[in-house]
Amino acid sequence: MTNIIPRRRRIVRPLFWSDGLKRSTMEPSTAPGRMGCLLRRPAEKRMGGERRSERRSKMNRCVSMSRRGFLAFGGAAAAALATGSLTGCAPSMLQEGGSAEGSGGATSDVAVWAGGKVSATELEASAVEGEPIVDFVEELSFDVVVVGAGTAGLPAALAAHEAGASVAVLQKEASPVAQGMLAARVVKDRSTEAGMTAYLHELHELNAHRPRIDLLRAYVERSQEALEWYESKLAAAGFDACEESDSKDHVYADGNCYVQGLLFSDSMQAPTTALAEQAANDGVEFFYETPAVQLVTEGGSIVGVVGRTDDGEYKKFLASKGVVLATGDYQNNEAMVERYVPDAQDFGRKQINKTGDGHLMGLMAGAVMEPGSPSKMIHGGKGCFREEPFLALNLNGERFMYEDVPYGDRNTILRDQPEHRMVTLFDANYADQVYGWGSDPTVPTVANGTPEKIAAFVEDGTLLAADSIEELAQTVGLPVEATVASVRRYNELCAKGEDLDFGKASKYLRPVDTPPFYAMPREYAVSAILGGLLVNADGQCLNEEGEPIKGLYAAGNCSGPFYGRYDYSLSTMGLSVGRCITCGYLAGRAVAGA
Ligand SMILES: Cc1cc2nc3c(=O)[nH]c(=O)nc-3n(C[C@H](O)[C@H](O)[C@H](O)COP(=O)(O)OP(=O)(O)OC[C@H]3O[C@@H](n4cnc5c(N)ncnc54)[C@H](O)[C@@H]3O)c2cc1C
């Protein structure tokens, strides 16, 4: 029995996982494959050929003049820079957001931007450029520019457009990118006022009292409207594959709050793509493969954003009403993960190319991060029985925890286990056990298993079945001897009715002794990091003083604090997507002045 495995200890690699074809337990990332090539591209490569190198050195001159100017000429130089009167130097975040510091220059690890809010390493891992961009191949004018064609960005663009604004969407990739499948909304018509307030209280308490209550209130009060609107937009786009799933009536002493789950196809990718096509038909202009790399500031306000084309040239997108940052999270920016959510560092990532570009651009322009460490969503892939506390073994075939840990929190225990992976073992009696524990295997989510689903999972290789524990261990790639010993010990504890090793509740102690035996391998990886720029309920980014920055909005995982618990709570399934759609919709309306 081992509880904590030292991180560098040699582990036995299971055969099951070493076969790439069989790694079907991971929820698929819906991002197109070509995006990976943008990861950690050196700055010079991102800039393109010789012409861009020249431009870079011009920009460097501009920046070094800024720094030297501040040192040598103090306030006079600062004033000259602020008015743009030094030839060729546009107003930049150096003046607007703080100062560039550091002994090694902008590319040094110790260099920081925006008064320390952004490091050079964080910038280098992103699409964002710190040095002021002054040469543009084109300048375009819109009322609103939305950065990111994802779960929150599309509703923001459509809502702003519907409110009469001319809208551009800058998208980093060649197509819209979104993930997830289930979205939750509060159905006011089926809830009482007291029940909705109690639910608001519950969400706040569940998140360690850390969310801004106005953000939660906006979700509770407006998510029905936002998701009904979203559905109507989807219907107009010819997409109606949406069914109710995982709804929950939260019942309190004084009332109830009905939270409805909506399942959009098998991924948010399909509705997001349909919505983007519809938006383009309606007149929203999309600029694909054009990551936003820098905000355009003027006198403390945000007046536009710079997009970098695929061949490394820059376009200036002016936004008379404002820019909405909806770039998702920063799970693929290691330096940001290390700074803000270090306990997620060692886990794999389910998304690619989410480098916190919106967060960084906002910080450079005077916005601030939500306080404290953000919530993280680290889950163990698809399959069956993810919540059910069946026997779990690590890759060494050893039991390592009381299995009645909520699924969403399990990553904390797996953090110190080999490769953050585990195998759940159960036997032919699974259905009786699951029913006996109060779970309902007929609930139509990927988390549960009817006998038909179990058979299908065995068929597609997600779940492994065998007639003996030895054979099962071999098939899944666990050390046979250790696995057999662990199962034997577990069955002894079940016979005693007491988990003397880890203290799991005795009602969950059921022996694994009746063939066929099943093994469900799980690899835990980061689905999302749920923390962003500090915003108010309209999605306006706030500065250090808590005041809105004119022209700057953020939505989705680029904004917060909506959560606060160390791990994303699954008490409301689909909260993240439901919240992203709602806050995108609200920010889009607000920026357009609706
Ligand atoms: C596998 C998986 C399953 C999940 N399942 C669920 C679920 O069922 N229910 C749930 O509630 N949550 C789920 N989640 C979490 C949920 O999907 C996310 O929290 C949510 O979709 C985030 O939305 P967003 O708008 O913030 O970001 P995204 O939807 O990721 O959108 C961000 C967009 O910005 C673009 N972008 C990034 N940088 C730039 C730039 N510099 N310029 C231009 N564009 C840029 C990206 O390409 C992307 O299209 C899941 C997550 C994963 C990975």
mmCIF file with all atom_site columns, all heavy atoms in Angstrom, residues 65-82 86 95:
data_model
loop_
_atom_site.group_PDB
_atom_site.id
_atom_site.type_symbol
_atom_site.label_atom_id
_atom_site.label_alt_id
_atom_site.label_comp_id
_atom_site.label_asym_id
_atom_site.label_entity_id
_atom_site.label_seq_id
_atom_site.pdbx_PDB_ins_code
_atom_site.Cartn_x
_atom_site.Cartn_y
_atom_site.Cartn_z
_atom_site.occupancy
_atom_site.B_iso_or_equiv
_atom_site.pdbx_formal_charge
_atom_site.auth_seq_id
_atom_site.auth_comp_id
_atom_site.auth_asym_id
_atom_site.auth_atom_id
_atom_site.pdbx_PDB_model_num
ATOM 1   N N   . MET A 1 65 ? 14.410 53.421 -26.859 1.00 0.00 ? 65 MET A N   1
ATOM 2   C CA  . MET A 1 65 ? 14.295 54.861 -26.655 1.00 0.00 ? 65 MET A CA  1
ATOM 3   C C   . MET A 1 65 ? 13.355 55.134 -25.485 1.00 0.00 ? 65 MET A C   1
ATOM 4   O O   . MET A 1 65 ? 13.626 55.973 -24.637 1.00 0.00 ? 65 MET A O   1
ATOM 5   C CB  . MET A 1 65 ? 13.749 55.525 -27.929 1.00 0.00 ? 65 MET A CB  1
ATOM 6   C CG  . MET A 1 65 ? 13.415 56.992 -27.764 1.00 0.00 ? 65 MET A CG  1
ATOM 7   S SD  . MET A 1 65 ? 14.864 57.981 -27.429 1.00 0.00 ? 65 MET A SD  1
ATOM 8   C CE  . MET A 1 65 ? 15.393 58.375 -29.082 1.00 0.00 ? 65 MET A CE  1
ATOM 9   N N   . SER A 1 66 ? 12.286 54.356 -25.418 1.00 0.00 ? 66 SER A N   1
ATOM 10  C CA  . SER A 1 66 ? 11.353 54.571 -24.316 1.00 0.00 ? 66 SER A CA  1
ATOM 11  C C   . SER A 1 66 ? 12.052 54.392 -22.982 1.00 0.00 ? 66 SER A C   1
ATOM 12  O O   . SER A 1 66 ? 11.930 55.199 -22.089 1.00 0.00 ? 66 SER A O   1
ATOM 13  C CB  . SER A 1 66 ? 10.200 53.558 -24.396 1.00 0.00 ? 66 SER A CB  1
ATOM 14  O OG  . SER A 1 66 ? 9.604  53.627 -25.645 1.00 0.00 ? 66 SER A OG  1
ATOM 15  N N   . ARG A 1 67 ? 12.805 53.280 -22.869 1.00 0.00 ? 67 ARG A N   1
ATOM 16  C CA  . ARG A 1 67 ? 13.439 53.003 -21.583 1.00 0.00 ? 67 ARG A CA  1
ATOM 17  C C   . ARG A 1 67 ? 14.505 54.032 -21.256 1.00 0.00 ? 67 ARG A C   1
ATOM 18  O O   . ARG A 1 67 ? 14.556 54.580 -20.179 1.00 0.00 ? 67 ARG A O   1
ATOM 19  C CB  . ARG A 1 67 ? 14.078 51.608 -21.621 1.00 0.00 ? 67 ARG A CB  1
ATOM 20  C CG  . ARG A 1 67 ? 13.062 50.522 -21.702 1.00 0.00 ? 67 ARG A CG  1
ATOM 21  C CD  . ARG A 1 67 ? 13.722 49.217 -21.341 1.00 0.00 ? 67 ARG A CD  1
ATOM 22  N NE  . ARG A 1 67 ? 12.852 48.151 -21.801 1.00 0.00 ? 67 ARG A NE  1
ATOM 23  C CZ  . ARG A 1 67 ? 13.113 47.385 -22.832 1.00 0.00 ? 67 ARG A CZ  1
ATOM 24  N NH1 . ARG A 1 67 ? 14.239 47.512 -23.492 1.00 0.00 ? 67 ARG A NH1 1
ATOM 25  N NH2 . ARG A 1 67 ? 12.273 46.466 -23.207 1.00 0.00 ? 67 ARG A NH2 1
ATOM 26  N N   . ARG A 1 68 ? 15.386 54.258 -22.286 1.00 0.00 ? 68 ARG A N   1
ATOM 27  C CA  . ARG A 1 68 ? 16.446 55.230 -22.041 1.00 0.00 ? 68 ARG A CA  1
ATOM 28  C C   . ARG A 1 68 ? 15.838 56.585 -21.732 1.00 0.00 ? 68 ARG A C   1
ATOM 29  O O   . ARG A 1 68 ? 16.275 57.312 -20.866 1.00 0.00 ? 68 ARG A O   1
ATOM 30  C CB  . ARG A 1 68 ? 17.355 55.333 -23.268 1.00 0.00 ? 68 ARG A CB  1
ATOM 31  C CG  . ARG A 1 68 ? 18.423 54.264 -23.316 1.00 0.00 ? 68 ARG A CG  1
ATOM 32  C CD  . ARG A 1 68 ? 19.571 54.714 -24.190 1.00 0.00 ? 68 ARG A CD  1
ATOM 33  N NE  . ARG A 1 68 ? 19.125 55.176 -25.495 1.00 0.00 ? 68 ARG A NE  1
ATOM 34  C CZ  . ARG A 1 68 ? 18.935 54.361 -26.537 1.00 0.00 ? 68 ARG A CZ  1
ATOM 35  N NH1 . ARG A 1 68 ? 19.126 53.077 -26.410 1.00 0.00 ? 68 ARG A NH1 1
ATOM 36  N NH2 . ARG A 1 68 ? 18.543 54.848 -27.688 1.00 0.00 ? 68 ARG A NH2 1
ATOM 37  N N   . GLY A 1 69 ? 14.775 56.882 -22.509 1.00 0.00 ? 69 GLY A N   1
ATOM 38  C CA  . GLY A 1 69 ? 14.125 58.172 -22.326 1.00 0.00 ? 69 GLY A CA  1
ATOM 39  C C   . GLY A 1 69 ? 13.663 58.364 -20.901 1.00 0.00 ? 69 GLY A C   1
ATOM 40  O O   . GLY A 1 69 ? 13.884 59.409 -20.295 1.00 0.00 ? 69 GLY A O   1
ATOM 41  N N   . PHE A 1 70 ? 13.055 57.312 -20.361 1.00 0.00 ? 70 PHE A N   1
ATOM 42  C CA  . PHE A 1 70 ? 12.572 57.432 -18.992 1.00 0.00 ? 70 PHE A CA  1
ATOM 43  C C   . PHE A 1 70 ? 13.730 57.639 -18.032 1.00 0.00 ? 70 PHE A C   1
ATOM 44  O O   . PHE A 1 70 ? 13.658 58.432 -17.106 1.00 0.00 ? 70 PHE A O   1
ATOM 45  C CB  . PHE A 1 70 ? 11.786 56.176 -18.591 1.00 0.00 ? 70 PHE A CB  1
ATOM 46  C CG  . PHE A 1 70 ? 10.353 56.253 -19.007 1.00 0.00 ? 70 PHE A CG  1
ATOM 47  C CD1 . PHE A 1 70 ? 9.867  55.524 -20.081 1.00 0.00 ? 70 PHE A CD1 1
ATOM 48  C CD2 . PHE A 1 70 ? 9.479  57.098 -18.334 1.00 0.00 ? 70 PHE A CD2 1
ATOM 49  C CE1 . PHE A 1 70 ? 8.550  55.620 -20.467 1.00 0.00 ? 70 PHE A CE1 1
ATOM 50  C CE2 . PHE A 1 70 ? 8.152  57.195 -18.718 1.00 0.00 ? 70 PHE A CE2 1
ATOM 51  C CZ  . PHE A 1 70 ? 7.686  56.451 -19.799 1.00 0.00 ? 70 PHE A CZ  1
ATOM 52  N N   . LEU A 1 71 ? 14.843 56.909 -18.300 1.00 0.00 ? 71 LEU A N   1
ATOM 53  C CA  . LEU A 1 71 ? 15.979 57.020 -17.390 1.00 0.00 ? 71 LEU A CA  1
ATOM 54  C C   . LEU A 1 71 ? 16.644 58.384 -17.502 1.00 0.00 ? 71 LEU A C   1
ATOM 55  O O   . LEU A 1 71 ? 16.913 59.056 -16.519 1.00 0.00 ? 71 LEU A O   1
ATOM 56  C CB  . LEU A 1 71 ? 17.009 55.925 -17.702 1.00 0.00 ? 71 LEU A CB  1
ATOM 57  C CG  . LEU A 1 71 ? 16.592 54.514 -17.300 1.00 0.00 ? 71 LEU A CG  1
ATOM 58  C CD1 . LEU A 1 71 ? 17.629 53.511 -17.768 1.00 0.00 ? 71 LEU A CD1 1
ATOM 59  C CD2 . LEU A 1 71 ? 16.421 54.433 -15.786 1.00 0.00 ? 71 LEU A CD2 1
ATOM 60  N N   . ALA A 1 72 ? 16.903 58.790 -18.770 1.00 0.00 ? 72 ALA A N   1
ATOM 61  C CA  . ALA A 1 72 ? 17.705 59.985 -18.971 1.00 0.00 ? 72 ALA A CA  1
ATOM 62  C C   . ALA A 1 72 ? 16.903 61.269 -18.865 1.00 0.00 ? 72 ALA A C   1
ATOM 63  O O   . ALA A 1 72 ? 17.389 62.271 -18.372 1.00 0.00 ? 72 ALA A O   1
ATOM 64  C CB  . ALA A 1 72 ? 18.392 59.922 -20.335 1.00 0.00 ? 72 ALA A CB  1
ATOM 65  N N   . PHE A 1 73 ? 15.667 61.237 -19.362 1.00 0.00 ? 73 PHE A N   1
ATOM 66  C CA  . PHE A 1 73 ? 14.937 62.500 -19.451 1.00 0.00 ? 73 PHE A CA  1
ATOM 67  C C   . PHE A 1 73 ? 13.721 62.575 -18.540 1.00 0.00 ? 73 PHE A C   1
ATOM 68  O O   . PHE A 1 73 ? 13.024 63.571 -18.512 1.00 0.00 ? 73 PHE A O   1
ATOM 69  C CB  . PHE A 1 73 ? 14.503 62.743 -20.901 1.00 0.00 ? 73 PHE A CB  1
ATOM 70  C CG  . PHE A 1 73 ? 15.662 62.739 -21.849 1.00 0.00 ? 73 PHE A CG  1
ATOM 71  C CD1 . PHE A 1 73 ? 15.824 61.731 -22.771 1.00 0.00 ? 73 PHE A CD1 1
ATOM 72  C CD2 . PHE A 1 73 ? 16.616 63.747 -21.780 1.00 0.00 ? 73 PHE A CD2 1
ATOM 73  C CE1 . PHE A 1 73 ? 16.902 61.726 -23.635 1.00 0.00 ? 73 PHE A CE1 1
ATOM 74  C CE2 . PHE A 1 73 ? 17.700 63.742 -22.647 1.00 0.00 ? 73 PHE A CE2 1
ATOM 75  C CZ  . PHE A 1 73 ? 17.854 62.727 -23.579 1.00 0.00 ? 73 PHE A CZ  1
ATOM 76  N N   . GLY A 1 74 ? 13.475 61.486 -17.841 1.00 0.00 ? 74 GLY A N   1
ATOM 77  C CA  . GLY A 1 74 ? 12.388 61.497 -16.871 1.00 0.00 ? 74 GLY A CA  1
ATOM 78  C C   . GLY A 1 74 ? 11.077 61.933 -17.475 1.00 0.00 ? 74 GLY A C   1
ATOM 79  O O   . GLY A 1 74 ? 10.691 61.511 -18.551 1.00 0.00 ? 74 GLY A O   1
ATOM 80  N N   . GLY A 1 75 ? 10.393 62.815 -16.779 1.00 0.00 ? 75 GLY A N   1
ATOM 81  C CA  . GLY A 1 75 ? 9.031  63.199 -17.134 1.00 0.00 ? 75 GLY A CA  1
ATOM 82  C C   . GLY A 1 75 ? 8.909  63.797 -18.516 1.00 0.00 ? 75 GLY A C   1
ATOM 83  O O   . GLY A 1 75 ? 7.909  63.593 -19.197 1.00 0.00 ? 75 GLY A O   1
ATOM 84  N N   . ALA A 1 76 ? 9.932  64.539 -18.979 1.00 0.00 ? 76 ALA A N   1
ATOM 85  C CA  . ALA A 1 76 ? 9.822  65.176 -20.287 1.00 0.00 ? 76 ALA A CA  1
ATOM 86  C C   . ALA A 1 76 ? 9.699  64.128 -21.377 1.00 0.00 ? 76 ALA A C   1
ATOM 87  O O   . ALA A 1 76 ? 8.869  64.226 -22.277 1.00 0.00 ? 76 ALA A O   1
ATOM 88  C CB  . ALA A 1 76 ? 11.051 66.047 -20.539 1.00 0.00 ? 76 ALA A CB  1
ATOM 89  N N   . ALA A 1 77 ? 10.551 63.092 -21.276 1.00 0.00 ? 77 ALA A N   1
ATOM 90  C CA  . ALA A 1 77 ? 10.489 62.035 -22.282 1.00 0.00 ? 77 ALA A CA  1
ATOM 91  C C   . ALA A 1 77 ? 9.166  61.307 -22.193 1.00 0.00 ? 77 ALA A C   1
ATOM 92  O O   . ALA A 1 77 ? 8.553  60.968 -23.202 1.00 0.00 ? 77 ALA A O   1
ATOM 93  C CB  . ALA A 1 77 ? 11.636 61.052 -22.079 1.00 0.00 ? 77 ALA A CB  1
ATOM 94  N N   . ALA A 1 78 ? 8.728  61.075 -20.970 1.00 0.00 ? 78 ALA A N   1
ATOM 95  C CA  . ALA A 1 78 ? 7.454  60.373 -20.795 1.00 0.00 ? 78 ALA A CA  1
ATOM 96  C C   . ALA A 1 78 ? 6.329  61.155 -21.445 1.00 0.00 ? 78 ALA A C   1
ATOM 97  O O   . ALA A 1 78 ? 5.476  60.600 -22.129 1.00 0.00 ? 78 ALA A O   1
ATOM 98  C CB  . ALA A 1 78 ? 7.163  60.177 -19.306 1.00 0.00 ? 78 ALA A CB  1
ATOM 99  N N   . ALA A 1 79 ? 6.350  62.461 -21.252 1.00 0.00 ? 79 ALA A N   1
ATOM 100 C CA  . ALA A 1 79 ? 5.299  63.288 -21.836 1.00 0.00 ? 79 ALA A CA  1
ATOM 101 C C   . ALA A 1 79 ? 5.368  63.233 -23.353 1.00 0.00 ? 79 ALA A C   1
ATOM 102 O O   . ALA A 1 79 ? 4.352  63.107 -24.038 1.00 0.00 ? 79 ALA A O   1
ATOM 103 C CB  . ALA A 1 79 ? 5.454  64.732 -21.354 1.00 0.00 ? 79 ALA A CB  1
ATOM 104 N N   . ALA A 1 80 ? 6.614  63.286 -23.890 1.00 0.00 ? 80 ALA A N   1
ATOM 105 C CA  . ALA A 1 80 ? 6.770  63.238 -25.339 1.00 0.00 ? 80 ALA A CA  1
ATOM 106 C C   . ALA A 1 80 ? 6.253  61.918 -25.881 1.00 0.00 ? 80 ALA A C   1
ATOM 107 O O   . ALA A 1 80 ? 5.561  61.865 -26.892 1.00 0.00 ? 80 ALA A O   1
ATOM 108 C CB  . ALA A 1 80 ? 8.244  63.409 -25.705 1.00 0.00 ? 80 ALA A CB  1
ATOM 109 N N   . LEU A 1 81 ? 6.569  60.830 -25.171 1.00 0.00 ? 81 LEU A N   1
ATOM 110 C CA  . LEU A 1 81 ? 6.118  59.521 -25.628 1.00 0.00 ? 81 LEU A CA  1
ATOM 111 C C   . LEU A 1 81 ? 4.610  59.414 -25.567 1.00 0.00 ? 81 LEU A C   1
ATOM 112 O O   . LEU A 1 81 ? 3.968  58.893 -26.463 1.00 0.00 ? 81 LEU A O   1
ATOM 113 C CB  . LEU A 1 81 ? 6.744  58.420 -24.758 1.00 0.00 ? 81 LEU A CB  1
ATOM 114 C CG  . LEU A 1 81 ? 8.197  58.116 -25.088 1.00 0.00 ? 81 LEU A CG  1
ATOM 115 C CD1 . LEU A 1 81 ? 8.827  57.334 -23.957 1.00 0.00 ? 81 LEU A CD1 1
ATOM 116 C CD2 . LEU A 1 81 ? 8.294  57.350 -26.394 1.00 0.00 ? 81 LEU A CD2 1
ATOM 117 N N   . ALA A 1 82 ? 4.055  59.932 -24.487 1.00 0.00 ? 82 ALA A N   1
ATOM 118 C CA  . ALA A 1 82 ? 2.613  59.802 -24.310 1.00 0.00 ? 82 ALA A CA  1
ATOM 119 C C   . ALA A 1 82 ? 1.859  60.501 -25.425 1.00 0.00 ? 82 ALA A C   1
ATOM 120 O O   . ALA A 1 82 ? 0.792  60.075 -25.833 1.00 0.00 ? 82 ALA A O   1
ATOM 121 C CB  . ALA A 1 82 ? 2.194  60.366 -22.958 1.00 0.00 ? 82 ALA A CB  1
ATOM 122 N N   . LEU A 1 86 ? 7.659  61.384 -30.309 1.00 0.00 ? 86 LEU A N   1
ATOM 123 C CA  . LEU A 1 86 ? 8.947  60.846 -30.733 1.00 0.00 ? 86 LEU A CA  1
ATOM 124 C C   . LEU A 1 86 ? 8.694  60.092 -32.030 1.00 0.00 ? 86 LEU A C   1
ATOM 125 O O   . LEU A 1 86 ? 7.912  59.161 -32.074 1.00 0.00 ? 86 LEU A O   1
ATOM 126 C CB  . LEU A 1 86 ? 9.523  59.899 -29.669 1.00 0.00 ? 86 LEU A CB  1
ATOM 127 C CG  . LEU A 1 86 ? 10.024 60.584 -28.400 1.00 0.00 ? 86 LEU A CG  1
ATOM 128 C CD1 . LEU A 1 86 ? 10.543 59.542 -27.426 1.00 0.00 ? 86 LEU A CD1 1
ATOM 129 C CD2 . LEU A 1 86 ? 11.115 61.582 -28.711 1.00 0.00 ? 86 LEU A CD2 1
ATOM 130 N N   . GLN A 1 95 ? 3.703  53.147 -21.700 1.00 0.00 ? 95 GLN A N   1
ATOM 131 C CA  . GLN A 1 95 ? 3.224  54.339 -21.016 1.00 0.00 ? 95 GLN A CA  1
ATOM 132 C C   . GLN A 1 95 ? 1.891  54.081 -20.322 1.00 0.00 ? 95 GLN A C   1
ATOM 133 O O   . GLN A 1 95 ? 1.637  54.549 -19.239 1.00 0.00 ? 95 GLN A O   1
ATOM 134 C CB  . GLN A 1 95 ? 3.025  55.497 -22.015 1.00 0.00 ? 95 GLN A CB  1
ATOM 135 C CG  . GLN A 1 95 ? 4.295  55.936 -22.700 1.00 0.00 ? 95 GLN A CG  1
ATOM 136 C CD  . GLN A 1 95 ? 4.437  55.251 -24.039 1.00 0.00 ? 95 GLN A CD  1
ATOM 137 O OE1 . GLN A 1 95 ? 3.531  55.304 -24.847 1.00 0.00 ? 95 GLN A OE1 1
ATOM 138 N NE2 . GLN A 1 95 ? 5.554  54.608 -24.276 1.00 0.00 ? 95 GLN A NE2 1
#
